[in-house]
Amino acid sequence: MLFDRMENGRASISDAVHLEVITGLHGTTMPTVLAAACQAMVGGITTYETGDEVTAGLTIAGIVIAIVRLFEVIAFRRRLAQPLQLARAEAAIWERRYIVGTVATALVLGVFAARSIVLGDALCSVMAIGIGFGFGAGVVARLALRPFAALLDLVAIAAPAAIVTFMQPDLRHFGLGLLILMYVAASFEMVRLSFNASISQITLKRQFEQLARSDSMTGVSNRSVLATDLPLMLSAGLVAVHTLDLDRFKEANDRFGHPAGDALLKQVAARLKALAMQDDLLIRMGGDEFVLVQAAAADAEAMARRIVQSISAPYDVDGQVIELGVSVGVAVAPDDGRTAEALLSRSDKALYRAKQHRGGYVLARELRVAEAATTLAEGMAA
């Protein structure tokens, strides 16, 4: 049941929160450094006292794995600093790399503790087992949102030592083995409780994210999303910005009342949603103004034409047939601008020209051609 819920919980986490979780895993190098330092110290002491080559090999292996993991954390941070945002699929690859590293560390520490028990040096055994327990406590704290990985770590730490203790014929080793198993059971129970609490918090966070980004009346995104999402869409490729303003909406609102006006806005939003593709961004700027950011800009003019046709079709509000028009200004990157501010400015100018024409759509490139022609004519006249 827990792992079923884990998968459902992970699926319900938004890309932004998922990236936040992965970033948190790579947020500190201290546990890795401390585990390697402790193993180096205890391994050095045990090797010096017993002359055991297996312990020396395990110590070296632990240090090498720690170094590799440190480089992995540094590589992740460099990737995070790049302009192109980390996609969910790529973030999952970094997550798997982290989990492989932490399981490898846990397994080396588990075998390290088991070997110290076999050697029979009580103090060295206490130190080695203590490292494993300390690493296990860190697993509970760091991997609460990844219960399966946490279980792998805990088993890798505890299984070798538990197996070795149960193979010994005396009661003391048997008791130590039971303590190790009880530690694993208690640790995983803490992971379960932390996972449940974290999923609840993430669910609330996601709901608040949606509320903060949504227009309460129409359900589409609000204008705050434009500042964050449009630059990201620009970095991913060509986009077209369609700035819309409804014609004759104020007259309809005054004539039929504000409830009818609200119903009209909802129907307009629904029609725009039907036109938008999955990767497009639909925003209500306020009042009767909308912005549709088209991720695939190749058919920007065709989209503008469909918007005019769809929005201009009659509306039925409580048995009243209401007709609206729409003015659309279209700016396409990179020709009309390479930044969000430039595109919005050009689309606004095109929208103003469309309103002067009493509806329809105007492409920003048409304004640029007209401006260039005017400038050339003025230059020739001079």
Side-chain angles (χ1 to χ4, degrees), residues 241-245 304 327-331 343 346-352 354 360-364:
V241 175
H242 303 260
T243 303
L244 293 72
D245 192 89
S327 299
V328 185
V330 186
L343 283 175
R346 291 284 174 83
S347 64
D348 276 339
K349 290 179 180 178
L351 171 63
Y352 180 73
Y361 66 89
V362 170
L363 304 177

Side-chain angles (χ1 to χ4, degrees), residues 44-74:
I45 293 172
T46 304
T47 302
Y48 176 78
E49 292 292 334
T50 64
D52 184 54
E53 295 181 356
V54 175
T55 298
L58 290 170
T59 302
I60 294 172
I63 294 172
V64 170
I65 291 172
I67 293 172
V68 172
R69 293 186 66 199
L70 289 175
F71 277 111
E72 192 266 345
V73 170
I74 293 171

Side-chain angles (χ1 to χ4, degrees), residues 131-155:
I131 296 173
F133 277 26
F135 187 82
V139 165
V140 173
R142 292 192 310 276
L143 294 178
L145 281 174
R146 297 296 179 263
F148 187 71
L151 180 61
L152 287 178
D153 273 9
L154 292 170
V155 170

Side-chain angles (χ1 to χ4, degrees), residues 12-362:
S12 70
I13 297 174
S14 66
D15 289 354
V17 177
H18 181 256
L19 179 58
E20 183 180 328
V21 171
I22 307 307
T23 304
L25 291 178
H26 294 80
T28 178
T29 59
M30 189 59 67
T32 302
V33 172
L34 286 177
C38 290
Q39 187 176 5
M41 180 186 68
V42 175
I45 293 172
T46 304
T47 302
Y48 176 78
E49 292 292 334
T50 64
D52 184 54
E53 295 181 356
V54 175
T55 298
L58 290 170
T59 302
I60 294 172
I63 294 172
V64 170
I65 291 172
I67 293 172
V68 172
R69 293 186 66 199
L70 289 175
F71 277 111
E72 192 266 345
V73 170
I74 293 171
F76 175 82
R77 292 177 179 177
R78 288 179 177 174
R79 172 62 186 88
L80 207 60
Q82 295 177 7
L84 186 61
Q85 187 180 23
L86 208 64
R88 186 168 188 134
E90 187 181 354
I93 294 174
W94 286 102
E95 178 186 11
R96 285 194 290 272
R97 290 177 182 173
Y98 181 90
I99 291 174
V100 168
T102 190
V103 171
T105 299
L107 185 59
V108 169
L109 290 176
V111 176
F112 182 78
R115 183 62 182 176
S116 69
I117 294 171
V118 171
L119 293 174
D121 188 302
L123 191 55
C124 290
S125 296
V126 169
M127 290 190 292
I129 294 172
I131 296 173
F133 277 26
F135 187 82
V139 165
V140 173
R142 292 192 310 276
L143 294 178
L145 281 174
R146 297 296 179 263
F148 187 71
L151 180 61
L152 287 178
D153 273 9
L154 292 170
V155 170
I157 293 170
I163 291 171
V164 166
T165 55
F166 286 130
M167 292 175 62
Q168 305 301 317
D170 60 276
L171 188 60
R172 291 173 300 173
H173 283 89
F174 183 79
L176 178 59
L178 287 180
L179 285 175
I180 293 173
L181 293 181
M182 286 188 285
Y183 171 79
V184 172
S187 297
F188 194 66
E189 176 64 12
M190 290 302 300
V191 169
R192 186 186 68 82
L193 293 174
S194 298
F195 174 78
N196 290 337
S198 298
I199 286 298
S200 298
Q201 291 174 357
I202 287 174
T203 301
L204 286 174
K205 180 175 182 178
R206 189 183 182 200
Q207 291 172 349
F208 283 126
E209 283 179 347
Q210 291 299 113
L211 288 174
R213 291 167 57 91
S214 297
D215 175 62
S216 58
M217 179 184 296
T218 61
V220 302
S221 299
N222 60 32
R223 65 185 306 151
S224 67
V225 178
L226 199 61
T228 56
D229 288 21
L230 180 53
L232 295 177
M233 295 178 70
L234 273 170
S235 66
L238 300 179
V239 300
V241 175
H242 303 260
T243 303
L244 293 72
D245 192 89
L246 300 179
D247 300 328
R248 300 187 297 278
F249 175 77
K250 185 178 185 302
E251 292 84 342
N253 197 45
D254 293 340
R255 179 180 177 185
F256 298 103
H258 293 296
D262 293 346
L264 279 172
L265 290 174
K266 292 176 182 178
Q267 290 190 36
V268 168
R271 293 185 184 186
L272 291 173
K273 283 181 183 177
L275 292 174
M277 303 298 290
Q278 182 178 0
D279 295 331
D280 294 347
L281 179 64
L282 177 58
I283 293 171
R284 183 188 175 207
M285 299 294 288
D288 59 348
E289 298 178 6
F290 292 83
V291 170
L292 174 62
V293 182
Q294 188 181 3
D299 61 342
E301 186 171 2
M303 173 62 84
R305 191 179 302 113
R306 290 195 296 270
I307 290 173
V308 173
Q309 292 173 348
S310 177
I311 302 304
S312 300
Y315 298 83
D316 186 337
V317 179
D318 294 331
Q320 298 283 347
V321 177
I322 303 175
E323 293 187 358
L324 301 175
V326 64
S327 299
V328 185
V330 186
V332 181
D335 294 340
D336 297 322
R338 297 180 180 274
T339 66
E341 293 77 10
L343 283 175
L344 290 170
S345 176
R346 291 284 174 83
S347 64
D348 276 339
K349 290 179 180 178
L351 171 63
Y352 180 73
R353 182 62 59 86
K355 291 184 74 67
Q356 287 181 325
H357 294 168
R358 298 184 180 278
Y361 66 89
V362 170

